[in-house]
Amino acid sequence: MGGGAVLTPSAGVESCILGGNTARYEGGGAFAMDGGIFNNCAVIGNSAEMGGGIRLWEGGTLNNCSITKNSAKYQGGVFMDNATMNNCIVWDNTATESGENNIAESGSTIRYTCSDTLPPGAGNINSEPLFIDATNGNYQLQHGAPCI
């Protein structure tokens, strides 16, 4: 579990790129169990059986993160239980067998997040984020992008 990082309760990851990782089962980019905080991270191009980008199991928080181009058999981008997501972009992830391409959640709070499919919660949008050049790996947002 956790191809790029594994977080235990109260651990944190700040301003990092988790990219190109593979996990055999859950959390291609990262796996957090019973907590863990990700701040200002880019989770790009990871893969796993479940939760290609990030798997938050029984808690955890994502703040100001971009999760894109991840893939999994089930739940392509973020797979979260009883977790929190604030001000994130979850876009262009793929579930090849079943489940949500971007966000699969149970008992979680999602606020001010941009995703292909509109997640429930305050201030969420499903507008294209307008990355400068995602094809060539530039995931900065264009001036005037709706996710700013």
Side-chain angles (χ1 to χ4, degrees):
M1 290 191 261
V6 176
L7 274 64
T8 55
S10 74
V13 175
E14 179 112 12
S15 302
C16 70
I17 297 171
L18 296 164
N21 300 292
T22 301
R24 184 172 179 213
Y25 189 58
E26 295 181 89
F31 179 88
M33 175 169 121
D34 297 325
I37 299 171
F38 296 85
N39 292 319
N40 305 307
C41 294
V43 182
I44 303 165
N46 301 287
S47 63
E49 176 122 348
M50 295 172 55
I54 292 183
R55 171 66 162 118
L56 301 176
W57 185 66
E58 291 305 317
T61 303
L62 296 170
N63 293 315
N64 307 310
C65 295
S66 294
I67 298 112
T68 187
K69 302 281 186 191
N70 300 287
S71 64
K73 271 185 161 178
Y74 313 99
Q75 327 320 354
V78 178
F79 183 20
M80 55 197 276
D81 300 305
N82 303 311
T84 303
M85 180 184 300
N86 298 305
N87 198 37
C88 293
I89 298 170
V90 187
W91 196 266
D92 198 23
N93 299 285
T94 306
T96 59
E97 299 269 330
S98 69
E100 293 295 325
N101 284 331
N102 289 295
I103 302 171
E105 63 86 22
S106 174
S108 297
T109 301
I110 303 169
R111 294 180 285 239
Y112 302 99
T113 289
C114 175
S115 178
D116 299 49
T117 51
L118 185 63
N124 296 323
I125 61 173
N126 65 339
S127 299
E128 175 135 8
L130 300 179
F131 296 123
I132 289 177
D133 187 6
T135 303
N136 292 305
N138 186 343
Y139 293 97
Q140 293 178 309
L141 296 174
Q142 295 176 26
H143 177 70
C147 297
I148 295 176

